[in-house]
């Protein structure tokens, strides 16, 4: 799906100037987008539904007359669609602005719940056992910043202790035994992402949940809540909250061809599973997330969820086929000069994610990308694009050597990526690598 990104060309052009270009990419070349882990365009049906909602469902969903009722009905339908996509019930879905908010909500809830539900005796017992008495969060060292920095913030504010369990340098997964070993008497939450945004590696969430639940059963004082951030997994692999066994699951629309809207799945919010609001206001979303609902974006989220439920296996097999072709072509062209940072023995990887380094002293990821004529991709998480040219801490955590990590390109394909796109991107990379190597 080669596209002309008129505005993007300009923006990307500015970014190139910052990098002291060796070679000026052809601004008129058709760009090929391979950064679907950063964000996705909206499906035409999604845009259509949003547009209809903008025209017809502009009423306040809380109003007791027809325009309000129309908006409310759209929100209810979306709630059902989103719930169906993850195998949950409509009443278990709380709409949010996106993934960052959903992740924040979970961490703050776990800490507040621990504080509120423990008796004074339990608090002092917690301290006597060699703990600080603070709630303790277990997470991994490859989480998105909306988990990592929220945990860090809670720790710096003296509200929680945090353990970031390192992923295995062999499998790039966080191993179940390491999570269990990190659990303490005060642990209130285990939060591990379902799939990593840079390597695409799928984490063993069902196994983690099973083991933590049996710890909860063995010790009645423990009530460890279980969360997974499914931002990168939805629309790419099957996601079912029952099979995963989680209490909370983060849903991010703009990664599955929906608009910038999100949701949190909570298994029985406020009844079976605690949920404390971070915002206070007019009672919307049963007070868990007040504020007048963004009906058109929620409508778009619901439509995109419906498409995922109906078409996941065809999306998945298309992306798998395209990724296999991309990896094969890259291997053919670059031979022993290539290393895949998304291949780990025994680990499953998202069907669309290919993280690759082309080896050579002048082939750093940022340099290669800024000299490509057509390829639009990134070296890692989009939110880290301002962090200079340092190699990705996620790849380093997965055991990728520094000089290889420095050359990493994250190529993430989408539902509409074609073999012709792949051929064009591989040719673009071949020319760019040849040019950079010659100029050195
Ligand atoms: C794994 C992961 N979690 C959370 C988020 C944040 O979602 P949002 O952009 O909706 O705040 C992202 C987005 O980049 C992500 O990749």
């Amino acid at each position: 799906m080669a596209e002309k990104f008129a505005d993007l060309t300009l923006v990307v052009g500015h970014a190139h100037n910052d990098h002291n270009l060796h070679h000026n990419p052809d601004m008129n070349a058709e760009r090929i987008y391979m950064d679907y882990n950063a964000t996705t365009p909206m499906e035409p049906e999604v845009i259509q539904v949003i547009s209809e909602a903008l025209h017809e469902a502009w009423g306040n969903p809380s109003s007791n007359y027809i325009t309000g009722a129309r908006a409310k009905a759209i929100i209810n339908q979306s709630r059902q669609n989103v719930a169906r996509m993850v195998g949950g019930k409509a009443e278990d879905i709380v709409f949010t602005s996106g993934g960052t908010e959903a992740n924040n909500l979970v961490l703050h809830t776990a800490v507040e719940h621990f504080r509120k539900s423990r008796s004074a005796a339990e608090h002092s017992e917690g301290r006597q056992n060699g703990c600080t008495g603070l709630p303790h969060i277990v997470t991994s060292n490859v989480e998105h910043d909306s988990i990592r920095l929220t945990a860090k913030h809670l720790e710096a504010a003296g509200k929680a202790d945090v353990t970031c369990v390192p992923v295995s340098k062999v499998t790039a997964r966080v191993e179940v035994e390491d999570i269990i070993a990190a659990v303490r008497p005060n642990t209130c939450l285990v939060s591990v992402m379902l799939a990593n945004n840079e390597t695409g590696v799928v984490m063993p969430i069902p196994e983690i949940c099973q083991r933590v639940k049996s710890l909860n059963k063995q010790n009645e004082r423990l009530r460890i809540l279980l969360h997974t951030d499914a931002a990168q997994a939805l629309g790419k692999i099957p996601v079912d909250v029952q099979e995963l066994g989680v209490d909370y699951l983060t849903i991010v629309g703009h990664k599955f061809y929906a608009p910038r809207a999100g949701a949190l799945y909570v298994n029985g919010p406020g009844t079976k599973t605690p949920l404390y609001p971070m915002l206070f206001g007019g009672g919307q979303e049963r007070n868990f997330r007040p504020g007048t609902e963004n009906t058109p974006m929620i409508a778009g989220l619901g439509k995109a969820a419906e498409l995922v439920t109906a078409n996941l296996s065809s999306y998945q097999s298309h992306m798998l086929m395209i990724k296999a072709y991309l990896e094969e072509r890259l291997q053919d062209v670059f031979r022993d000069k290539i290393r895949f940072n998304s291949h780990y023995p025994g680990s499953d990887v998202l069907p669309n994610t290919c993280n690759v380094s082309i080896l050579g002293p002048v082939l750093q990821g940022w340099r290669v990308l800024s000299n490509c004529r057509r390829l639009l991709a990134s070296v890692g998480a989009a939110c880290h694009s301002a962090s200079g040219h340092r190699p990705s801490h996620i790849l380093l955590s997965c055991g990728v050597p520094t000089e290889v990590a420095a050359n990493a390109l994250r190529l993430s394909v989408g539902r509409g990526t074609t073999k012709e796109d792949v051929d064009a991107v591989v040719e673009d990379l071949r020319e760019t690598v040849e040019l950079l190597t010659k100029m050195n």
Side-chain angles (χ1 to χ4, degrees):
M1 198 170 52
E3 288 179 51
K4 272 231 183 285
F5 287 96
D7 295 336
L8 250 180
T9 306
L10 260 181
V11 175
V12 173
H14 281 305
H16 287 160
N17 293 339
D18 294 342
H19 296 325
N20 274 331
L21 270 193
H22 295 284
H23 148 74
N24 217 344
D26 175 358
M27 292 305 179
N28 294 317
E30 265 189 321
R31 299 304 170 115
I32 295 167
Y33 186 73
M34 277 202 190
D35 207 6
Y36 289 87
N37 284 6
T39 197
T40 55
M42 280 183 268
E43 288 284 6
E45 294 101 310
V46 170
I47 295 174
Q48 173 73 27
V49 160
I50 293 174
S51 166
E52 283 165 15
L54 283 165
H55 283 105
E56 293 158 22
W58 46 265
N60 188 322
S62 300
S63 297
N64 289 327
Y65 42 83
I66 183 69
T67 48
R70 212 175 271 154
K72 190 91 189 159
I74 286 177
I75 292 170
N76 288 341
Q77 182 61 54
S78 285
R79 202 184 301 285
Q80 281 180 16
N81 291 351
V82 171
R84 196 168 304 129
M85 173 176 67
V86 298
K89 297 201 275 298
E91 56 269 30
D92 293 341
I93 300 298
V94 176
F95 289 118
T96 63
S97 58
T100 298
E101 185 187 336
N103 284 345
N104 271 263
L105 206 44
V106 173
L107 267 64
H108 280 97
T109 286
V111 166
E112 190 162 341
H113 184 66
F114 179 93
R115 199 174 52 78
K116 285 193 170 149
S117 60
R118 287 227 155 177
S119 66
E122 283 172 324
H123 276 300
S124 74
E125 192 181 319
R127 274 192 294 275
Q128 280 160 20
N129 284 343
C131 301
T132 57
L134 293 174
H136 174 236
I137 296 170
V138 177
T139 184
S140 85
N141 67 342
V142 296
E143 298 298 311
H144 186 263
D145 275 355
S146 51
I147 292 288
R148 192 175 67 88
L149 296 180
T150 306
K152 224 170 144 181
H153 168 78
L154 289 166
E155 192 169 47
K159 293 183 177 168
D161 291 325
V162 177
T163 302
C164 284
V165 175
V167 292
S168 150
K169 289 194 188 318
V170 177
T171 62
R173 303 193 315 175
V174 60
E175 298 300 342
V176 184
E177 293 307 327
D178 296 335
I179 292 284
I180 299 303
V183 166
R184 301 178 191 166
N186 279 10
T187 302
C188 63
L189 177 72
V190 170
S191 173
V192 175
M193 68 198 332
L194 187 44
N196 184 263
N197 40 324
E198 294 194 22
T199 60
V201 166
V202 179
M203 303 294 172
I205 303 301
E207 293 81 359
I208 291 174
C209 290
Q210 229 173 31
R211 289 290 302 278
V212 170
K213 278 180 182 166
S214 63
L215 284 185
N216 278 344
K217 269 201 196 127
Q218 283 160 25
N219 182 345
E220 61 181 29
R221 291 266 169 80
L222 274 182
R223 170 66 168 107
I224 304 172
L225 297 162
L226 290 153
H227 169 238
T228 193
D229 172 356
Q232 293 292 344
L234 286 163
K236 298 171 189 159
I237 56 172
V239 175
D240 183 304
V241 289
Q242 315 299 334
E243 281 168 22
L244 293 168
V246 288
D247 298 306
Y248 308 97
L249 180 136
T250 293
I251 296 164
V252 180
H254 73 99
K255 310 286 185 183
F256 60 93
Y257 295 72
R260 305 277 149 78
L264 182 66
Y265 158 84
V266 187
N267 181 15
T271 51
K272 272 162 87 179
T273 308
L275 187 62
Y276 295 95
M278 290 197 303
L279 303 174
F280 298 86
Q284 294 87 349
E285 294 297 285
R286 292 158 289 161
N287 270 321
F288 295 123
R289 205 291 188 175
T292 304
E293 299 90 335
N294 192 346
T295 312
M297 297 307 135
I298 291 175
L301 184 70
K303 185 69 196 177
E306 188 188 324
L307 291 173
V308 168
T309 305
N311 305 313
L312 178 66
S313 61
S314 71
Y315 297 154
Q316 198 179 1
S317 54
H318 176 78
M319 290 187 284
L320 261 178
M321 182 273 289
I322 290 293
K323 183 173 81 155
Y325 183 65
L326 172 65
E327 294 190 346
E328 189 187 304
R329 294 282 293 110
L330 287 167
Q331 189 80 70
D332 280 352
V333 169
F334 296 105
R335 297 182 176 271
D336 60 339
K337 292 274 179 292
I338 202 157
R339 171 165 168 165
F340 291 102
N341 308 313
S342 43
H343 290 181
Y344 297 89
S347 290
D348 289 333
V349 175
L350 292 174
N352 79 320
T353 308
C354 167
N355 194 314
V356 69
S357 296
I358 305 168
L359 307 179
V362 287
L363 301 179
Q364 290 82 7
W366 64 267
R367 187 173 270 140
V368 170
L369 288 179
S370 21
N371 283 279
C372 277
R373 289 170 62 241
R374 304 189 61 185
L375 171 63
L376 296 174
S378 57
V379 297
C383 48
H384 283 160
S385 56
S387 68
H389 298 147
R390 286 193 302 276
S392 147
H393 79 91
I394 289 184
L395 294 185
L396 297 177
S397 304
C398 297
V400 177
T402 310
E403 65 285 4
V404 178
N407 290 16
L409 308 170
R410 180 185 67 175
L411 307 177
S412 46
V413 302
R415 295 173 190 173
T417 309
T418 63
K419 283 188 166 181
E420 291 70 38
D421 293 338
V422 169
D423 289 336
V425 160
V426 173
E427 180 55 15
D428 194 13
L429 283 169
R430 195 193 60 73
E431 284 174 11
T432 306
V433 164
E434 193 176 276
L435 183 97
L436 288 171
T437 311
K438 247 191 228 152
M439 291 186 82
N440 184 29

